Amino acid sequence: MTELTTDYFSSHEISLDSVPHAQKKPTARRYHGREFIDNYEWLRDKESEEVKNYVAEHNAFADKVTSHLSSLKQTLFGELKNRVQETDMSVPTRIGKYWYFARTEEGKQYGKQCRVPIASEDDWTAPQVEADKELPGERIVFDANDESQGHDFFRSGGLDLDKDGKLLVYSIDTTGDERYDVHVRDVETGEDLPDLIQGVSAGANITPDGQWIFYIRTDDAWRPCEVWIHRVGTDSNNDVMVWREEDERFWVGCGLSFDESMMIIETESKTTSEVLHLPVSDIAGLLLPDGDPAAKRFEPFIKRQENIEYDVTFARFEAMGDNGEDVPVAVVVHNVNHPNFEIDLIDMRSHEGPYQLGDGDCIAVGSDYGCEQASEVARAKSVSEPYFDDRNPAILQGACGLQVGGLGIYKSFITLSYRADSLSHCAIVSKEQAFKDWKAGRPISFTTLGEDDTETIPAVGFGSNPAYEAPVVRYGFGSYTRPSQLRELNPITGEDHLLKKANVLHYDENLYAERRLWVTVRDGERVPVSLVWKKGLVPSLDGLSLENDELSSPELSELFNTQDRPSMQGSSPMFITGYGSYEISMGPGFSVARPSMLDRGVIFAVAHIRGGGEMGRAWYEQGRRLNKINTFNDFVDVTAALEYAGIADPHKTVANGGSAGGLLMGAIANAAPFLYAGIEADVPFVDALTSILDESLPLTVTEWDEWGDPLHNEQVYDYMKSYTPYENVMTADERRKKFGTTHFPVIFITTSMNDTRVLYVEPMKWISRLNEPEVDVQAFAKIEVEAGHGGVSGRYKQWEEVSFENAWCLDIMGLSK
């Protein structure tokens, strides 16, 4: 084991003289009577030779700093590769008259999509797919390995087929800028039609009859805002825009309804949504002028209301009416009355439009506790308080942070998705029983799925259920230590069997453990944290006994000098990650790369901090806009609690986050540098205030719902100014005065020149500031010149990237040998 050192560069024979330094070219930013002198805004000129040379200098320096990790990187890559069943197949999914499945093959970067015909209309038993053995009638629909030839970067933007499976619409991005070209292929011949649509968003859709393609175009700010229609077999220059979202806060999506009877447009901001629909039979009317009596247009199901989100689906209870007739229904999920949503079921026989949100019978409702839009009494309650409502099914009673999600109505069963106690959950009921409960005015008798394993932090979700007629439902189960399973349940008979479990080679899940703890942070809220480790290598967790799995964060001043003190006996290296933005939840999931860290005695920790959606809407609201500081405080307090309890060793703690999680990394480095030995910040949003002030930048206006509007609001400007990482980097003297120590974690930054979400200039400005001599920080950056926001493409390239990053983390922890 190598010895840790506070001087990372010199310990690897890197001279500080070789650190790239950017020339200071001061420009003044003036808003609300405040002035900020920005020395590195000139780096925004991507085409400048000076910028290109500076990027090249940083990449050369990063190579030098990490050259000693080559052997470890290859070792980690080999370990990862040895766990992967490289030649593998997915479980076939029935769509229309075919079973579709994917094959991946050893030595190939990408998978290929295949299909075989169904045996008969009542064939719902998926065929068994074997390696290196074709099924009768098997045909390759799309082979990404062939399509990627000649491209340094390749990413698919989705595949779609007409109802008969004759025409394939596929989108590809070969630069990483998330602009896709749409192609149409005859599946039988394998030949592309002349149709070509260039530079659009991912996810083009073809109508069931194969006549029309709907796709989304972006504006100059990269905002998906226009719905276009293309007639198959015609020149795309003749395509027509059929709908445009003018409000710059909103993004647009388009697709078919589940029953394929409607084209649906969904337009939404961070806080408001609207659903528009048009019968598929009326599509041709979109091309007629407004004055033509046969002209058709997309119409809203319910007109948008500010700060209200809703979704609607249409279904029916077959032959369940009093006289054996079908009962048509609309399922509306909305947050008019409850911030964590309610699900209403509208009997469309007795209730004609126009419809209002709140119409019908409420069959499930989420918790109001702690939410901004709740009553004064509910708003004052903690998110962690159990919630009860007489209308809710029994499975939802007493849940904390309850948020209800989607209701799926199939031919013989109904599914329910919801979030409670920081985890996602799934439930099901037969359609007949649901109808009886609904008509009797009692809560529906749902039962939960996949929650029998008490040794894990489970991840359960429905998936691969595209067929309304299917008599069975598929759902996935997994955890941090359990490779994913795909299961199939017959809700009528109760038969539940395993379709496929991810085959992870040379891995024994029984050797690993996971546990959920709750940390009481500085303002009294309880924040969940997930911990994963290998049994026998982390004594502090193997023998941990806590009442109710509770920890409390200490006063940070007690940890100011922790880097100058010996490690606590029994404490272990820790890799801790978080996100905490956009109401995105970091759910449990298995990673084939993670065991290499765990096998070396590292604790893997996920801090489920506010700003995410783990505990519902209130969790998000308490970590956005003028509450954003809670996101950073939560992460710091979780780290501090684990270190103070002797679980994690601050000398060997590395934090990681990407994008908005990269903003988190920059903020915690400034707020509590003494807690971390190293920080890996991936595509970090670290010049947040500059970006959110500039309306001309991609995505900025849509982000005001998330961060606030500093351009027009002085309070928001000052608040963002107080935490944006680039503008709050302290000098070594300032750190000494504030914390009594000059310690700062080693910073490893990744970014990409083609990133359209977090522009490369943000991390480049940040590292330029970090590398100023008076800051006295050791930081370096690795800049991809071919990839975008999501990193490199191809599975082997991605394995190499994660192996490199993990090698650096282990090196910081002193575990590189």
Side-chain angles (χ1 to χ4, degrees):
M1 180 182 296
T2 59
E3 292 297 322
L4 291 172
T5 176
T6 56
D7 192 345
Y8 184 73
F9 285 176
S10 66
S11 69
H12 296 300
E13 300 180 351
I14 303 297
S15 169
L16 291 179
D17 294 336
S18 63
V19 175
H21 291 283
Q23 183 180 352
K24 292 182 180 181
K25 300 180 181 181
T27 58
R29 186 188 71 205
R30 298 183 181 92
Y31 291 92
H32 307 295
R34 282 86 161 148
E35 181 178 83
F36 170 67
I37 301 301
D38 192 336
N39 290 318
Y40 303 112
E41 177 61 18
W42 65 271
L43 290 169
R44 192 174 300 276
D45 185 0
K46 182 179 178 180
E47 301 305 319
S48 161
E49 287 302 318
E50 188 176 6
V51 170
K52 291 179 180 179
N53 291 336
Y54 185 57
V55 167
E57 287 176 15
H58 271 287
N59 277 334
F61 182 71
D63 289 343
K64 185 184 299 185
V65 171
T66 59
S67 61
H68 66 286
L69 297 177
S70 177
S71 177
L72 179 57
K73 171 192 168 183
Q74 291 305 316
T75 297
L76 296 177
F77 178 84
E79 291 175 2
L80 188 161
K81 191 171 182 287
N82 286 339
R83 292 188 201 101
V84 177
Q85 181 72 49
E86 294 189 65
T87 298
D88 203 1
M89 301 73 59
S90 67
V91 176
T93 297
R94 179 174 164 177
I95 303 175
K97 298 180 180 180
Y98 296 91
W99 289 101
Y100 290 86
F101 56 97
R103 290 185 184 271
T104 56
E105 298 176 358
E106 184 174 358
K108 293 189 176 181
Q109 294 277 12
Y110 305 95
K112 59 183 179 182
Q113 307 300 316
C114 308
R115 76 180 185 192
V116 293
I118 60 174
S120 63
E121 287 299 325
D122 59 355
D123 174 19
W124 293 102
T125 302
Q128 295 292 318
V129 184
E130 299 179 30
D132 303 320
K133 183 178 180 181
E134 285 192 5
L135 293 171
E138 180 175 336
R139 177 180 292 275
I140 297 173
V141 177
F142 187 82
D143 189 339
N145 297 288
D146 292 342
E147 306 296 336
S148 66
Q149 292 298 311
H151 302 292
D152 293 325
F153 179 91
F154 178 86
R155 180 170 291 145
S156 169
L159 310 175
D160 196 34
L161 291 141
D162 64 1
K163 190 173 184 64
D164 292 332
K166 293 181 178 179
L167 294 180
L168 169 72
V169 172
Y170 67 95
S171 308
I172 57 174
D173 169 19
T174 57
T175 64
D177 65 359
E178 299 183 53
R179 294 287 182 96
Y180 293 83
D181 292 342
V182 179
H183 305 258
V184 183
R185 178 166 296 170
D186 184 317
V187 178
E188 291 300 318
T189 66
E191 298 295 323
D192 280 358
L193 277 62
D195 305 61
L196 175 62
I197 306 166
Q198 294 179 301
V200 303
S201 292
N205 294 276
I206 190 168
T207 54
D209 61 10
Q211 293 189 44
W212 308 95
I213 295 172
F214 284 82
Y215 60 93
I216 307 294
R217 287 195 179 276
T218 63
D219 60 14
D220 292 339
W222 248 268
R223 177 180 66 99
C225 62
E226 298 175 351
V227 179
W228 286 67
I229 184 173
H230 170 79
R231 186 191 290 272
V232 174
T234 66
D235 192 318
S236 61
N237 290 323
N238 298 322
D239 292 357
V240 176
M241 183 178 70
V242 296
W243 197 83
R244 177 180 170 84
E245 175 57 70
E246 299 294 347
D247 192 323
E248 294 182 351
R249 299 172 301 157
F250 284 71
W251 285 27
V252 171
C254 183
L256 277 170
S257 62
F258 185 59
D259 63 3
E260 297 189 341
S261 66
M262 299 272 189
M263 286 303 304
I264 302 293
I265 293 175
E266 293 184 340
T267 177
E268 58 184 5
S269 70
K270 298 293 190 301
T271 60
T272 305
S273 65
E274 184 178 34
V275 177
L276 301 97
H277 62 289
L278 176 82
V280 169
S281 56
D282 290 342
I283 288 176
L286 288 169
L287 304 182
L288 300 176
D290 289 339
D292 194 311
K296 301 293 181 179
R297 300 293 181 262
F298 281 94
E299 298 292 340
F301 181 75
I302 299 171
K303 290 186 177 181
R304 78 178 62 169
Q305 301 174 41
E306 192 67 23
N307 294 321
I308 298 300
E309 299 170 69
Y310 81 91
D311 194 14
V312 60
T313 56
F314 303 95
R316 60 187 58 246
F317 289 90
E318 290 86 355
M320 294 186 188
D322 294 338
N323 300 310
E325 76 278 13
D326 290 353
V327 179
V329 295
V331 180
V332 185
V333 183
H334 66 88
N335 63 350
V336 167
N337 304 312
H338 299 278
N340 271 309
F341 296 91
E342 69 177 72
I343 302 175
D344 293 334
L345 194 58
I346 302 174
D347 186 337
M348 299 183 73
R349 298 174 303 172
S350 57
H351 193 317
E352 296 182 357
Y355 298 99
Q356 302 294 322
L357 295 176
D359 287 348
D361 300 311
C362 178
I363 61 173
V365 59
S367 168
D368 294 342
Y369 295 167
C371 294
E372 293 174 357
Q373 302 302 316
S375 68
E376 185 177 350
V377 173
R379 190 167 58 249
K381 292 180 179 289
S382 170
V383 181
S384 301
E385 187 167 335
Y387 181 77
F388 297 88
D389 190 291
D390 292 341
R391 295 167 292 182
N392 274 343
I395 59 170
L396 304 185
Q397 301 294 349
C400 299
L402 173 64
Q403 185 175 76
V404 296
L407 193 77
I409 298 183
Y410 295 77
K411 187 172 183 179
S412 60
F413 57 86
I414 295 178
T415 63
L416 171 68
S417 300
Y418 62 99
R419 177 168 288 280
D421 302 302
S422 80
L423 296 171
S424 59
H425 302 264
C426 294
I428 196 165
V429 64
S430 73
K431 202 170 188 179
E432 182 178 6
Q433 182 62 51
F435 187 79
K436 289 179 180 178
D437 291 338
W438 176 41
K439 288 291 107 179
R442 59 179 178 252
I444 295 179
S445 310
F446 285 102
T447 57
T448 56
L449 297 179
E451 301 192 7
D452 300 329
D453 189 345
T454 59
E455 298 298 316
T456 67
I457 306 170
V460 188
F462 291 115
S464 233
N465 294 296
Y468 175 82
E469 300 84 3
V472 291
V473 62
R474 289 182 179 180
Y475 68 97
F477 171 83
S479 78
Y480 291 110
T481 62
R482 305 290 193 265
S484 62
Q485 300 179 19
L486 180 63
R487 306 192 66 85
E488 191 169 75
L489 169 72
N490 186 314
I492 308 303
T493 66
E495 181 184 0
D496 186 337
H497 68 278
L498 177 67
L499 289 176
K500 183 180 178 65
K501 182 176 181 179
N503 187 18
V504 182
L505 307 177
H506 313 296
Y507 174 78
D508 182 353
E509 62 189 39
N510 297 308
L511 300 179
Y512 302 85
E514 53 191 298
R515 183 171 177 177
R516 170 64 56 81
L517 301 183
W518 296 81
V519 176
T520 301
V521 296
R522 66 189 71 180
D523 66 354
E525 189 54 85
R526 297 168 67 247
V527 175
V529 55
S530 299
L531 301 175
V532 191
W533 71 98
K534 187 171 185 178
K535 298 174 185 177
L537 295 185
V538 183
S540 60
L541 288 178
D542 285 334
L544 184 64
S545 177
L546 294 173
E547 183 176 356
N548 299 322
D549 292 327
E550 301 280 348
L551 286 176
S552 293
S553 60
E555 289 290 333
L556 287 181
S557 59
E558 298 186 37
L559 297 176
F560 278 180
N561 295 308
T562 189
Q563 297 290 340
D564 301 324
R565 299 196 297 266
S567 301
M568 292 180 64
Q569 186 173 2
S571 62
S572 299
M574 179 171 70
F575 177 93
I576 183 167
T577 186
Y579 189 74
S581 293
Y582 301 106
E583 204 173 357
I584 293 174
S585 300
M586 296 188 71
F590 184 80
S591 163
V592 289
R594 189 180 302 137
S596 289
M597 303 281 278
L598 305 181
D599 289 349
R600 289 165 171 81
V602 176
I603 301 168
F604 175 80
V606 182
H608 303 282
I609 51 185
R610 281 175 285 184
E614 282 87 343
M615 296 289 284
R617 179 54 54 94
W619 208 245
Y620 170 50
E621 293 172 342
Q622 293 175 20
R624 66 169 181 173
R625 298 179 185 169
L626 296 178
N627 295 317
K628 191 61 196 174
I629 197 70
N630 287 333
T631 301
F632 315 135
N633 289 345
D634 286 356
F635 193 92
V636 166
D637 289 354
V638 166
T639 306
L642 294 170
E643 293 179 354
Y644 190 74
I647 295 171
D649 183 350
H651 300 88
K652 303 178 183 180
T653 292
V654 175
N656 168 256
S659 195
L663 165 66
L664 170 68
M665 294 298 102
I668 63 147
N670 292 335
F674 46 87
L675 295 179
Y676 306 97
I679 289 178
E680 179 189 336
D682 298 320
V683 290
F685 183 47
V686 283
D687 191 20
L689 182 53
T690 300
S691 293
I692 300 303
L693 281 167
D694 190 344
E695 294 177 281
S696 70
L697 290 178
L699 315 181
T700 288
V701 175
T702 63
E703 295 291 301
W704 286 347
D705 281 331
E706 177 75 17
W707 310 98
D709 176 6
L711 184 62
H712 303 102
N713 188 309
E714 182 177 339
Q715 183 184 14
V716 173
Y717 180 95
D718 289 341
Y719 190 77
M720 291 192 70
K721 181 76 169 68
S722 73
Y723 69 71
T724 191
Y726 170 58
E727 298 181 32
N728 287 278
V729 173
M730 289 181 280
T731 66
D733 286 343
E734 289 170 335
R735 294 198 301 275
R736 182 184 295 107
K737 290 177 182 178
K738 186 169 184 177
F739 306 124
T741 174
T742 61
H743 173 80
F744 200 85
V746 183
I747 303 291
F748 171 28
I749 300 167
T750 68
T751 188
S752 178
M753 295 301 290
N754 291 329
D755 196 335
T756 59
R757 296 177 185 266
V758 177
L759 301 184
Y760 76 93
V761 68
E762 294 200 30
M764 294 308 297
K765 288 168 67 173
W766 185 40
I767 196 169
S768 299
R769 169 63 176 149
L770 291 174
N771 283 339
E772 290 178 5
E774 64 270 21
V775 176
D776 193 20
V777 167
Q778 299 188 33
F780 67 99
K782 181 174 179 287
I783 304 108
E784 289 291 342
V785 294
E786 301 294 344
H789 190 69
V792 297
S793 63
R795 59 174 178 167
Y796 292 105
K797 290 181 180 179
Q798 291 170 347
W799 295 352
E800 289 175 353
E801 187 175 70
V802 72
S803 297
F804 170 75
E805 292 168 0
N806 286 349
W808 179 81
C809 292
L810 289 170
D811 192 34
I812 291 293
M813 297 172 184
L815 301 174
S816 58
K817 292 184 179 179

